[in-house]
Amino acid sequence: MEHPENSSEYKGLAVNKGVETPSSVNPYLKKRKAAHKPMSVNDYVEGIVKGNITILSQAVTLIESVRPDHQATAQEVIERCLPYSGKSIRIGISGVPGAGKSTSIDIFGTHVLEQYGGKLAVLAIDPSSERSKGSILGDKTRMESLAIHPNSFIRPSPAAGSLGGVARKTRESIILCEAAGFDKIFVETVGVGQSETAVHSMVDFFLLIQLAGTGDELQGIKRGIMEMADGIIINKADGDNIEPANLAATQFRNALHLFPAPDSGWIPKVLCYSGFYHTGIKEIWEMIHEYVAFVKDNGYFETRRSQQNKYWMYETINQHLRDSFFQNEKISKMINEEEKLVLEGNVTSFTAAKKLLDYYFNELKKE
Ligand code: GDP
């Protein structure tokens, strides 16, 4: 039987005359698009050198982009900004999660800007940020007073890729920040492994934040990381924690004596402070100033920067070669098969590697 609802006389579901549905295409879009012409290399460089923060931000986004055309523009912008860069103090700040990095950077940064003026950029290297879906470091909400300071620029860690890739992008961002007139650069990293080495390769002073408490703090940090530190600062030296912090400082000082003298000739200092109660902050900046004066005097400041340039030249070559190899379509197909054969024990790792490399280089020759 015919359903009553299908009858044209059925009144149960009537469509009322409503408002006119707007067009799904915004009539102003055309105009807006025309205004959004992509910026040229010149536009970027001019904006950056004038200290325009919006353009600086956009240029950093360009550095972080994986699109080849963005990368090409970014490289040109960096190249053009290089002559304006280099005139800053670059400070690496590391510590395990919870050590108080963001609290300290917030207080320390605000102190430095208020006492000494200038401009401060806070960048980050967080290789884990991809896994945690979005960067956890450099987040503005974690640095409340610095985030609203007119002379600060806070940028979270680039999110994608390997540690080397993330670090390279941060290093390139340093150049742009310096060209934009930032004379103090902080690079924050989580103190849990390789990222310290990456930070160390781009800063003038490496600051390690430690905590006192359990009595076995020296066991917790790798010797390599301590050897990189130009200053160790023990946070949360407040309330009942003052005495343990002082004790930890003594232990660190003693431990540092066991290491060979660093190339800089500078004996790393150990200081206690409280990011929370703002005590000992002034002394940290004075220590950094003392260090910079010391190494500028003995020539190590320049030596370290040239060594870093050399490091980044090789690092960039390595990365490009690796990318070119692994992103090669044929190689990425072949490599799974070879990996399987190696895992099954049917082919040695050397034979598999040689087969892939031979193929890669022979293919390249033909192109
Ligand atoms: P991050 O993970 O290293 O960035 O550490 P946070 O800055 O987020 O700090 C971790 C926790 O330690 C937070 O709950 C802070 O409130 C606390 N904290 C940071 N600095 C101090 C300090 O100087 N004294 C005390 N008592 N707590 C602090």
Side-chain angles (χ1 to χ4, degrees), residues 321-347:
L321 287 176
R322 242 188 333 247
D323 289 351
S324 158
F325 179 79
F326 288 108
Q327 285 167 10
N328 183 297
E329 245 172 73
K330 284 175 197 148
I331 292 292
S332 55
K333 277 188 199 133
M334 279 172 74
I335 210 161
N336 291 332
E337 182 60 23
E338 291 302 318
E339 187 187 295
K340 209 167 129 230
L341 292 172
V342 170
L343 285 172
E344 287 164 353
N346 291 330
V347 168

Side-chain angles (χ1 to χ4, degrees), residues 96-103 142 188 235-236 238 274-276:
V96 292
K101 290 181 297 299
S102 37
T103 316
R142 295 162 67 236
E188 178 191 11
N235 191 15
K236 308 193 188 181
D238 44 50
S274 166
F276 221 63

Side-chain angles (χ1 to χ4, degrees), residues 72-120:
T73 313
Q75 289 310 316
E76 264 189 76
V77 173
I78 295 165
E79 198 71 30
R80 296 259 312 269
C81 282
L82 264 177
Y84 304 98
S85 72
K87 298 174 208 81
S88 77
I89 302 181
R90 307 168 183 167
I91 299 161
I93 299 175
S94 183
V96 292
K101 290 181 297 299
S102 37
T103 316
S104 306
I105 291 174
D106 195 30
I107 302 305
F108 187 42
T110 315
H111 166 84
V112 168
L113 283 175
E114 265 150 31
Q115 295 296 312
Y116 301 91
K119 299 208 290 182
L120 166 69

Side-chain angles (χ1 to χ4, degrees), residues 39-59 77 80-81 84 119 176-177 179-182:
M39 289 208 295
S40 68
V41 170
N42 253 342
D43 297 335
Y44 279 114
V45 176
E46 269 179 32
I48 291 169
V49 173
K50 278 188 195 144
N52 182 321
I53 298 295
T54 313
I55 295 181
L56 171 65
S57 270
Q58 287 166 346
V77 173
R80 296 259 312 269
C81 282
Y84 304 98
K119 299 208 290 182
L176 301 193
C177 290
F182 287 85

